[in-house]
Amino acid sequence: DVKVTQSSRYLVKRTGEKVFLECVQDMDHENMFWYRQDPGLGLRLIYFSYDVKMKEKGDIPEGYSVSREKKERFSLILESASTNQTSMYLCASSTRDTSNQPQHFGDGTRLSIL
Amino acid sequence: AQSVTQLDSQVPVFEEAPVELRCNYSSSVSVYLFWYVQYPNQGLQLLLKYLSGSTLVKGINGFEAEFNKSQTSFHLRKPSVHISDTAEYFCAVSESRRGSTLGRLYFGRGTQLTVWP
């Protein structure tokens, strides 16, 4: 069965800390995505990656970076966390070049920045 | 770029009543269309998708959706809802042309469906 695993369900960090959110998929998917979800705003794309070491900015990349050193793992990094980055973060993966294939989602990480 | 509008942010209904969640999109190219469901404290699950062919698409849990190209709509329906259908529902689109932006999905803002006994 398809599995996207996010390392933490809940995370609490302090302002200014460097924060790592990890995502692993076991489906050998080429594409991986990071979204943040906020009430009334739906899902907004932060970054995505279509191959190892490749990355593309989404709609709201400011304040974030990503790392894809292995095909199965896609990390989201908050270089210096701020309170406005308190949110639900969702990771997803999909196969390459087939827009009709659905994205598979992890259960999300609820991040609080204090 | 694509845009997706979900016309209702909240839809309250009584159990066993029919429901329709509305979704409109705008795009300059052909699209694929999706509905996802998110239960509390979970990620998104695919409910159904429209790729081509019949404009009426059936999904899991008794849901169906109809693609209307002239009205650029993809409304989700269920004839009789259950308490367990309480969740947030997201409409999404992606470009259908080969080699398009790598399967990127554009999401609506979501509709919270609450089913009351």
Side-chain angles (χ1 to χ4, degrees):
Chain A
D1 197 14
V2 165
K3 191 70 175 176
V4 178
T5 303
Q6 295 184 231
S7 55
S8 304
R9 293 298 304 275
Y10 301 93
L11 206 54
V12 181
K13 296 291 182 180
R14 296 194 181 278
T15 303
E17 281 192 70
K18 190 169 186 176
V19 181
F20 293 85
L21 303 184
E22 306 287 346
C23 175
V24 176
Q25 50 95 3
D26 64 359
M27 298 161 284
D28 201 35
H29 283 168
E30 291 81 9
N31 300 338
M32 296 189 75
F33 306 82
W34 274 107
Y35 297 90
R36 65 176 282 175
Q37 182 181 10
D38 300 288
L41 296 180
L43 276 73
R44 293 181 290 168
L45 183 64
I46 306 172
Y47 267 97
F48 61 102
S49 168
Y50 51 90
D51 204 347
V52 176
K53 298 190 185 297
M54 305 303 287
K55 61 184 180 184
E56 293 284 344
K57 293 181 179 179
D59 298 322
I60 53 165
E62 297 78 17
Y64 303 94
S65 63
V66 289
S67 173
R68 184 118 181 250
E69 295 297 318
K70 294 184 178 181
K71 189 176 185 179
E72 68 271 17
R73 185 179 297 271
F74 192 36
S75 303
L76 180 69
I77 303 156
L78 286 65
E79 296 290 344
S80 178
S82 64
T83 54
N84 62 12
Q85 293 177 309
T86 291
S87 186
M88 169 72 93
Y89 290 87
L90 291 167
C91 175
S93 71
S94 71
T95 55
R96 170 180 293 170
D97 277 348
T98 48
S99 296
N100 62 346
Q101 296 301 314
Q103 291 183 14
H104 299 273
F105 284 82
D107 284 338
T109 296
R110 190 167 294 280
L111 175 64
S112 297
I113 306 297
L114 305 179
Chain B
Q2 327 300 318
S3 71
V4 180
T5 302
Q6 291 183 242
L7 295 159
D8 306 295
S9 60
Q10 302 206 30
V11 173
V13 294
F14 286 112
E15 195 173 19
E16 298 183 5
V19 71
E20 179 180 81
L21 306 184
R22 296 179 293 169
C23 173
N24 287 87
Y25 68 94
S26 65
S27 175
S28 58
V29 299
S30 296
V31 296
Y32 297 130
L33 295 152
F34 306 83
W35 275 99
Y36 282 84
V37 59
Q38 185 181 34
Y39 298 105
N41 298 315
Q42 294 186 24
L44 275 67
Q45 301 175 30
L46 182 69
L47 203 54
L48 49 78
K49 61 183 178 182
Y50 172 78
L51 308 178
S52 64
S54 172
T55 56
L56 185 63
V57 180
K58 294 190 182 298
I60 61 172
N61 301 338
F63 283 92
E64 62 183 30
E66 186 160 18
F67 170 55
N68 187 319
K69 188 174 181 179
S70 62
Q71 297 187 5
T72 60
S73 68
F74 190 54
H75 301 333
L76 181 70
R77 301 185 182 100
K78 187 170 182 178
S80 175
V81 294
H82 303 290
I83 300 283
S84 59
D85 292 323
T86 294
E88 189 153 24
Y89 292 80
F90 291 94
C91 182
V93 303
S94 68
E95 292 182 356
S96 65
R97 58 189 172 91
R98 188 173 295 278
S100 68
T101 340
L102 303 160
R104 176 177 171 167
L105 285 173
Y106 296 83
F107 285 89
R109 294 190 174 193
T111 297
Q112 174 64 44
L113 173 66
T114 303
V115 181
W116 298 96

